[in-house]
Amino acid sequence: MTIRYASILLVVSFAWGLVAGAPAHAQQAATLSGRVVGPSENPLPGANVVFVDSDYGTATGPNGSYTITDIEPGSYTVRVTFVGYETVEREFALEAGTTAQGRFVLERAPLQGEGVTVTVGSRARDMAAEDMATPVDVYGTEEIQTSGAFETGRILQQSAPSVNFPQNTLSDGMDALRSFTLRGLSPDQTLVLVNGKRRHKSALVNRLGAGVSGGSSPIDLNAIPSNAIERIEVLRDGASSQYGSDAIAGVANLRLKDEPLDPTVETRIGGYVTNPYSNDGTTYSVRPSFGVELGDDGGFLNFFGEYRLRTPTNRAGPADFNLGPAGQGGDEIAGPDEDGLFDIVDKNNSVEQPAFHWGDGRSENLLFWANGAYPISDLNADQPTEIYAFGGYSYRKGKGQGFYREGTDDGNWPQIYPEGFLPNFENPINDGSVVVGLRGVLDEWNYDLSAQTGFNYFQYNITNTLNASFGPTQGGNQTEFYAGSVQLQKTVVQLDVDRGYEVGLASPLNVAAGALFRADTYELEAGEEASWAGFTEDAPWQINQNGGVPAPGAQVFPGFRPSQEVDETRTNVGAYVDLQTDLIDPLQLNVAGRVENYSDFGSTVNGKVALRFEPISQLAFRGTAQTGYRAPNQAQKFFSKVSTTFIDNQPVQTGIFRINSDIGNALGIPDLDEERSVNFSGGVVIKPIERFQVSVDYFNIQIDDRITLSGDLGEPGSPGEEAINQVLRENNTGAESASFFSNAIDTNTEGIDVTSKFSALLADGVQLQLRGAFNWTDTEITGGPRNPTTLNEDFSTVILAPDDQRALTDGALPETTTKLTASLTAGPVDLTLRGARYGELLNADDDADDEFTLDPEYVVGGELGYNMFDDQVSLAVGARNLFDNYPDLDPQKGTFDIILPYNRAHPMGFNGRFVYSRLTISL
C-alpha cells in the first residue's frame, strides 16, 4: 500500500512539474533569425551561423535565411562563415521571450595573403604586403596546413619561388639539421625572424652538405612547430639597413598565433610508398595546442607542442667489392635494369647489402613553444601598454651514417667487426629561446623594448665504430664515443620606436628608429679522451691489421681535442633610422640607414632607398637600391675538427682549422672580414581583373669578400700536397688535408621572380584559388678566388678548386623553378593540387669528365580533405611526388655511382612517393 501511494505521488509530482515548468521554460527561451547575403545582396545559402563557445548554430536556407530557437538569454558572439567570403562576427544580447534579428552582409575574401598587415619590408605600421615597395609573400595557416610537409623548411620550399630545401645524407651532421636557402645564396645570407625578432643560428658548421654553401651555419626552422605559425612572411629583397647582418638574400618572418586557441590535436602519419625500393621513411607527428585568455582586455597565452618521429630511408645500391672478411670476394652485379638500377646476381661475401646508407636518417623530435601578451594599462587604446613573451625549447635526436668500413679496412679490427661496420652519427640537439618585451605608446611614439636569448647545442655521439689505435680487443677498445659538442648562444637587447608626422605630403611621414646590443658566444667542448686518443701522443697500438699505422681517434669522426676547445664572445652595437612617406598620392618613398660596430672586425654602414609608383590601381612599379653585409659567423671563426672524408673512394683524414691556429698562420690564411653586398631590384605588379594579381621582379646581388670554406688543400694528387702535409705532420694534427674559411671570392647573383594569385567563386559555396611562382637564378664568380700569398707561392695550391667553384655557381640550385598550387573548396570538401618543375642542375665533380647535367624534373602532389562537425574535425589524405619520380642517375655508372646513385642537392629529393594522412580535432 505504501509503495502504491508513493508511486501515485511521484507521477502526480512529475506531471505538475511539466505543467508548471512549461510556461517558465518558454519565457526563458530566445530566438535569433535573419539573412546572410553577399555584397550585391545575393543570398548565401549554406552559410554557417554559429554562436562562439556554445552549441547554438545552423546553416542558412536557399534564400540565405536562418532561424535559431531555444537560446538561453544572455550575451553572445555570433560568427558567420561562408566559402570565399570574409568571416563576420557580431555581438548580440538576447532577452527571454524575444526574437532578435541578425542580418549579415559578407564581403568577398581577398586573395591569399592580400590585405594582411606584415612586419617585414617596412617599419611603417598597418602596411599590407601588396602596398609595399619591396616584394613580400605571405603564406597563411591554410597553406601551411595543406602543404603536406612535416617540416617547416619544406613548407617554404613548396610555396616560395626561390626557396630550396635540400635533403642531405652522408654530411657529418647536416643529416640531422636541414636548412633552406633563398635565391641560391647561403643559408646564413637569409635572416630569419620570429614575431619580428632575430632568430639565433645553429652551432653546426656545414662541411659536406650538398645544395648548401660549405661552411654555413644555418638556422633550424624545424625547431619551431608549424602549428604555432599563423603565417610566414617572406621578404624577397635585401634588408641589412633595416634589420642588420645576414639580410642579403632576404628575410623570412614567422608570425606566431596570437589569439586564444581552442584545444586542438593534429595527428599525421606518412611514409614513402615507392618502387623499386621497399616502403620506408614512416613519419609520425602529434601536435597539440591550446590557449587561455588572460584577463578581460585581450590578454592571451597559447601553448604549442609537437612530437615527430621520422624513420630512415635508404636508396643505396650494392657494392661490387669485398665488404667482409679477408678471403671473400665481391658480389657480382648485373647490368642496370629498366629503372637504371643494379642488382646482385651472385652473392660472394657475407655482408648484407646495401651496406652503405644513402637517404634520410632517423630523427626524433620533441618541441614546446608558447606565445602570450598581457595588457597592463591604456586598455582602450589602439596599442595598449602590454607585456609580451614568446619562445620555446626543442630536443632532437638525429642519426646519420658515414661510409662503410670493410672488414679489411685499415680503420677496422676484424676481432671487433669481422664483417666491417657502418659508423653512425647520433646527434642530440637542444635548442631554446625566449623573448620578453614591453610595448606601448609614449608621447605619440610607439615603442617596443625587448630582451632575448637563444641557444643551439649540438652534440656528437659516434656509435658502431672504434678507435683503431686502441687495438683489436673488445676489452681494450670501445664502440661508442662522446666526440664533443658545439654551442652558439645569442643575446639581444633592443629598443624600436616609431610615429607619424604630418609634413604636408600625401601621407604622414613615418619615422622609425632603434638601437640594439648583441652578444654571440661560441663554445666548442672536447670529447672523451678515447674519441681523440692517438693524435697527441703515441697510440696504444702502433700497427693496424694491414701493417700500417692505425688511424687515430674514433672512425668517421675523431673527437674534438682539448687544444681545440674555445669559448669566445663577440659583441656589437647598432642603430638605424627608417623613413617612409607618400611624396604624392601614387609615389611612395622609403629611405633607411644603419650603422653597427663589431668587437672583432669593426664598423659597417649601410643604406637603402625604395620607391613604389602606382599610377592606377591595376598597375604598380617598385624598385630598390641598397647596400648590405653579413658578419662572419662565430662558428666560421672558431670551429675546427678532423674527420674522415672519402676522396677518389679512399678514406682521407681531413681537417678544418681555425684561421688563427698554427696551421692557419703557417699557410698564411688571413683573418675574416664581413661580406659586403650591393643589391638592385625592380619589378611590376599587375592586377588586370578583380582577384587576379601578377608580379614580376628582377634582382641583382653583388657580394664582395664572400666567405667560403676551401677545398681539401693537400689532398692526394693535388698541387702542394707534400708541402702542406709536412705542415700538418709537424703540428701533429693527424690530418692529411686542410680546409679554411676565407673571404676568397666575389659573386654576382641575378634572377627573376614571378608570382601570381587568382581566386574565383565557381558556385555558391565553391571557391577556386590558384597560386603560381617562377624563379630563374644565375650565379657567377666575378672576383677571385683570392689565394693567400703564402699558400700560392710556397705551396702552389689554390684555396677554391675549379669543381668547388662550379658546384657553387651551377650545382646549388636548378637554373629555373616553377611551382603551381590549385585549391578548391566546396562546402566541407577541400582539394589541393600542387605541381613543380625543377630545371637543369649540374652534378659537379673534381674530374670534369665525370660531371653531368641533370635533366628537368616534374613533381605532382595533392591533398583531399573533409571537414565535419562545424569544422571541429578535419580528415585529409594526400601525397607528395605522386608519380614516384626520381632524379637522373649518374651516367658514368662507376662503383660509387652505383652505391650512391642520386644527387643530394636536387630539391625534389631522392626518396620517391610520399603518402600521408592528417586528422585534426578541435574542442
Side-chain angles (χ1 to χ4, degrees):
M1 182 67 68
T2 303
I3 296 176
R4 179 182 178 186
Y5 283 122
S7 300
I8 294 173
L9 181 62
L10 181 61
V11 171
V12 171
S13 299
F14 180 71
W16 171 252
L18 291 176
V19 174
H25 177 71
Q27 291 176 355
Q28 293 176 355
T31 299
L32 178 67
S33 66
R35 293 187 72 207
V36 179
V37 297
S40 302
E41 297 296 318
N42 53 302
L44 299 180
N48 291 316
V49 183
V50 298
F51 284 47
V52 177
D53 297 326
S54 79
D55 295 329
Y56 302 121
T58 189
T60 58
N63 63 349
S65 63
Y66 70 92
T67 300
I68 304 174
T69 59
D70 295 326
I71 305 169
E72 184 177 346
S75 296
Y76 296 93
T77 299
V78 178
R79 177 183 299 154
V80 181
T81 60
F82 192 59
V83 172
Y85 290 81
E86 292 186 317
T87 298
V88 172
E89 290 187 355
R90 190 184 304 168
E91 302 294 326
F92 285 88
L94 303 181
E95 299 179 358
T98 64
T99 297
Q101 295 294 318
R103 184 176 182 275
F104 295 88
V105 180
L106 273 58
E107 298 293 332
R108 283 287 308 277
L111 291 170
Q112 292 173 322
E114 192 175 60
V116 177
T117 299
V118 297
T119 52
V120 294
S122 172
R123 292 281 182 177
R125 291 178 176 257
D126 302 324
M127 286 290 294
E130 64 270 16
D131 297 329
M132 291 186 179
T134 53
V136 177
D137 301 318
V138 181
Y139 306 100
T141 304
E142 181 179 340
E143 290 169 284
I144 293 171
Q145 187 178 43
T146 61
S147 67
F150 285 61
E151 299 169 293
T152 304
R154 193 189 293 270
I155 293 171
L156 266 180
Q157 181 201 26
Q158 294 195 168
S159 302
S162 55
V163 168
N164 193 21
F165 183 68
Q167 293 97 67
N168 275 291
T169 184
L170 274 178
S171 54
D172 279 17
M174 285 294 288
D175 305 57
L177 199 158
R178 296 174 167 179
S179 61
F180 79 98
T181 66
L182 181 64
R183 288 182 163 175
L185 297 180
S186 172
D188 44 21
Q189 289 166 337
T190 298
L191 177 63
V192 174
L193 310 174
V194 179
N195 280 353
K197 307 299 180 183
R198 177 181 290 266
R199 174 77 176 161
H200 61 273
K201 290 185 171 71
S202 69
L204 175 70
V205 169
N206 166 49
R207 189 174 74 89
L208 297 176
V212 180
S213 297
S216 58
S217 292
I219 289 176
D220 188 5
L221 280 186
N222 294 330
I224 305 171
S226 62
N227 64 330
I229 302 172
E230 177 71 25
R231 63 181 182 272
I232 302 175
E233 305 164 355
V234 180
L235 168 62
R236 293 180 281 110
D237 196 44
S240 292
S241 58
Q242 294 170 299
Y243 303 106
S245 178
D246 307 342
I248 292 178
V251 181
N253 182 40
L254 281 61
R255 296 291 300 181
L256 304 182
K257 295 176 179 177
D258 57 4
E259 292 185 357
L261 300 174
D262 294 330
T264 301
V265 176
E266 178 184 284
T267 60
R268 297 185 181 213
I269 183 171
Y272 291 96
V273 180
T274 185
N275 183 58
Y277 302 99
S278 300
N279 298 342
D280 57 9
T282 303
T283 303
Y284 310 88
S285 174
V286 180
R287 299 171 178 171
S289 62
F290 72 96
V292 295
E293 293 185 3
L294 300 180
D296 299 322
D297 301 301
F300 71 96
L301 181 58
N302 289 332
F303 297 94
F304 314 92
E306 180 178 9
Y307 173 78
R308 181 172 67 242
L309 173 65
R310 184 188 69 213
T311 60
T313 66
N314 194 6
R315 303 294 177 262
D320 62 357
F321 53 87
N322 179 25
L323 297 167
Q328 295 187 359
D331 294 335
E332 184 178 345
I333 298 177
D337 57 20
E338 59 183 13
D339 295 309
L341 302 174
F342 294 77
D343 296 317
I344 296 173
V345 295
D346 190 3
K347 185 71 177 164
N348 295 320
N349 72 72
S350 54
V351 177
E352 183 180 348
Q353 298 243 43
F356 286 77
H357 183 263
W358 194 247
D360 291 343
R362 188 180 190 274
S363 178
E364 187 173 17
N365 303 258
L366 193 61
L367 299 86
F368 299 98
W369 272 70
N371 183 37
Y374 184 71
I376 56 175
S377 65
D378 300 325
L379 303 181
N380 296 321
D382 291 338
Q383 173 59 69
T385 301
E386 63 180 8
I387 299 170
Y388 66 89
F390 62 89
Y393 167 78
S394 71
Y395 172 80
R396 177 183 305 133
K397 187 174 183 180
K399 185 176 182 179
Q401 283 72 34
F403 268 65
Y404 192 87
R405 268 59 171 175
E406 307 98 81
T408 58
D409 190 275
D410 287 349
N412 182 41
W413 286 109
Q415 294 87 342
I416 301 175
Y417 293 111
E419 297 185 340
F421 61 94
L422 183 68
N424 298 323
F425 288 86
E426 297 197 16
N427 303 116
I429 307 171
N430 289 272
D431 191 287
S433 63
V434 61
V435 179
V436 295
L438 177 71
R439 58 193 171 210
V441 181
L442 181 64
D443 291 336
E444 298 187 36
W445 284 92
N446 300 293
Y447 67 86
D448 184 344
L449 176 64
S450 64
Q452 65 181 101
T453 188
F455 72 91
N456 180 265
Y457 176 74
F458 193 100
Q459 186 173 316
Y460 291 89
N461 293 327
I462 312 302
T463 63
N464 198 47
T465 186
L466 52 74
N467 184 337
S469 68
F470 269 37
T473 63
Q474 187 75 41
N477 215 315
Q478 61 189 73
T479 58
E480 297 184 0
F481 301 86
Y482 167 63
S485 64
V486 288
Q487 176 172 296
L488 184 68
Q489 181 162 2
K490 177 182 64 62
T491 301
V492 182
V493 178
Q494 182 167 338
L495 173 64
D496 300 293
V497 298
D498 70 88
R499 63 161 296 179
Y501 285 98
E502 292 291 348
V503 292
L505 297 174
S507 72
L509 173 66
N510 188 82
V511 179
L516 64 86
F517 168 82
R518 189 168 94 224
D520 295 279
T521 299
Y522 182 77
E523 299 178 47
L524 187 152
E525 179 183 84
E528 62 175 306
E529 183 176 357
S531 72
W532 51 264
F535 278 103
T536 59
E537 56 192 31
D538 291 338
W541 204 267
Q542 298 295 320
I543 190 171
N544 64 33
Q545 67 164 318
N546 297 314
V549 177
Q555 278 291 298
V556 82
F557 191 95
F560 299 122
R561 305 195 294 275
S563 61
Q564 296 173 306
E565 288 189 323
V566 296
D567 185 350
E568 296 285 345
T569 297
R570 177 179 68 195
T571 61
N572 69 286
V573 294
Y576 72 88
V577 175
D578 188 300
L579 307 176
Q580 180 174 313
T581 188
D582 291 343
L583 298 177
I584 55 177
D585 188 40
L587 181 61
Q588 179 189 118
L589 171 67
N590 177 217
V591 179
R594 189 182 194 95
V595 58
E596 297 216 19
N597 181 267
Y598 285 77
S599 59
D600 51 1
F601 67 82
S603 298
T604 177
V605 179
N606 294 278
K608 176 177 182 177
V609 177
L611 289 169
R612 175 187 170 88
F613 178 60
E614 187 176 346
I616 56 176
S617 60
Q618 295 85 8
L619 179 66
F621 301 93
R622 59 193 181 193
T624 65
Q626 60 192 291
T627 61
Y629 78 102
R630 184 182 74 83
N633 298 333
Q634 288 289 84
Q636 292 176 329
K637 297 183 62 178
F638 299 109
F639 181 80
S640 62
K641 72 170 182 177
V642 174
S643 61
T644 307
T645 301
F646 277 69
I647 300 175
D648 292 331
N649 304 330
Q650 297 299 317
V652 176
Q653 298 297 315
T654 63
I656 297 178
F657 297 98
R658 294 198 299 269
I659 290 172
N660 56 359
S661 65
D662 292 339
I663 310 299
N665 293 333
L667 299 181
I669 309 298
D671 288 339
L672 290 178
D673 290 323
E674 80 276 23
E675 298 176 342
R676 293 171 289 110
S677 70
V678 178
N679 295 38
F680 296 99
S681 69
V684 59
V685 181
I686 305 171
K687 302 177 183 178
I689 59 175
E690 188 179 13
R691 289 175 179 79
F692 178 46
Q693 174 183 300
V694 178
S695 71
V696 182
D697 291 277
Y698 168 79
F699 60 89
N700 189 297
I701 307 170
Q702 175 69 36
I703 303 177
D704 293 335
D705 296 328
R706 185 165 173 175
I707 297 172
T708 62
L709 179 63
S710 74
D712 295 312
L713 309 180
E715 68 182 20
S718 67
E721 173 189 356
E722 182 52 40
I724 291 176
N725 271 269
Q726 182 178 344
V727 173
L728 297 174
R729 288 192 298 269
E730 289 173 352
N731 288 273
N732 201 23
T733 64
E736 302 167 72
S737 69
S739 295
F740 296 90
F741 291 97
S742 68
N743 298 96
I745 58 174
D746 306 328
T747 63
N748 182 266
T749 298
E750 65 174 341
I752 294 175
D753 286 333
V754 180
T755 66
S756 62
K757 295 184 287 186
F758 174 73
S759 175
L761 285 176
L762 305 183
D764 287 337
V766 181
Q767 178 179 234
L768 173 67
Q769 297 187 84
L770 304 177
R771 191 159 192 164
F774 170 82
N775 168 258
W776 165 75
T777 298
D778 179 70
T779 296
E780 301 293 339
I781 295 176
T782 56
R786 286 179 286 274
N787 297 311
T789 302
T790 302
L791 189 67
N792 189 36
E793 294 182 355
D794 296 351
F795 299 96
S796 302
T797 193
V798 296
I799 201 160
L800 197 66
D803 59 301
D804 294 323
Q805 298 176 41
R806 293 192 297 272
L808 175 68
T809 58
D810 300 312
L813 186 75
E815 185 177 5
T816 61
T817 300
T818 305
K819 302 171 184 178
L820 298 172
T821 302
S823 299
L824 181 69
T825 302
V829 177
D830 296 316
L831 174 64
T832 301
L833 298 176
R834 296 179 297 271
R837 179 192 183 274
Y838 299 106
E840 293 183 345
L841 180 70
L842 177 69
N843 192 94
D845 195 281
D846 54 4
D847 186 346
D849 292 335
D850 289 340
E851 290 187 344
F852 69 98
T853 299
L854 289 85
D855 290 332
E857 299 290 351
Y858 295 84
V859 181
V860 176
E863 178 179 295
L864 178 64
Y866 187 79
N867 303 299
M868 301 167 280
F869 307 111
D870 294 329
D871 294 338
Q872 289 185 303
V873 177
S874 175
L875 178 65
V877 294
R880 300 197 310 262
N881 194 357
L882 180 63
F883 299 112
D884 203 21
N885 197 11
Y886 280 84
D888 291 341
L889 294 166
D890 193 321
Q892 301 297 326
K893 296 180 173 55
T895 296
F896 276 87
D897 301 325
I898 295 172
I899 295 173
L900 313 176
Y902 299 110
N903 182 287
R904 294 180 299 165
H906 204 288
M908 70 180 287
F910 53 89
N911 285 316
R913 180 194 300 114
F914 185 86
V915 299
Y916 65 91
S917 64
R918 183 184 75 246
L919 175 64
T920 305
I921 301 175
S922 298
L923 303 180

